[in-house]
Amino acid sequence: MEISYVPVGDYLLPEIQLSDPPDAPPLGKYGMMHKAYLKEQKPALYSRLLLSERLYPLCREIDDAAAIRLKTIPDKEAAYEVILHELVYD
């Protein structure tokens, strides 16, 4: 495998391309919220997950779990509080 480089100013940077998620549906509200949280609050973890191509599956898993929890909690207001608390403190 050969690595190609792109000149940027006085530097040569490796040309890295990530593969797209295979025909996956777009992330929902809670998956996008978790992605934004990681990007803003934990940039090193966000970069590591992004470059290892594990960011989308993690956000997809969180989005699916949130959808299931929303269905199981009868009081919608309480459901939002539970999910937001878990996203911020987990």
Side-chain angles (χ1 to χ4, degrees), residues 56-86:
Y56 181 83
L58 174 68
C59 292
R60 168 89 304 170
E61 181 181 333
I62 288 173
D63 198 50
D64 292 343
I68 291 169
R69 289 187 182 161
L70 278 174
K71 290 179 186 174
T72 60
I73 299 174
D75 182 13
K76 295 296 182 194
E77 296 268 334
Y80 291 129
E81 291 298 320
V82 168
I83 291 169
L84 288 175
H85 183 271
E86 289 179 0

Side-chain angles (χ1 to χ4, degrees), residues 18 35 45-56:
L18 300 175
K35 182 178 174 184
L45 177 59
Y46 175 83
S47 295
R48 191 171 66 219
L49 289 170
L50 181 65
L51 291 174
S52 65
E53 298 185 359
R54 295 184 318 200
L55 179 64
Y56 181 83

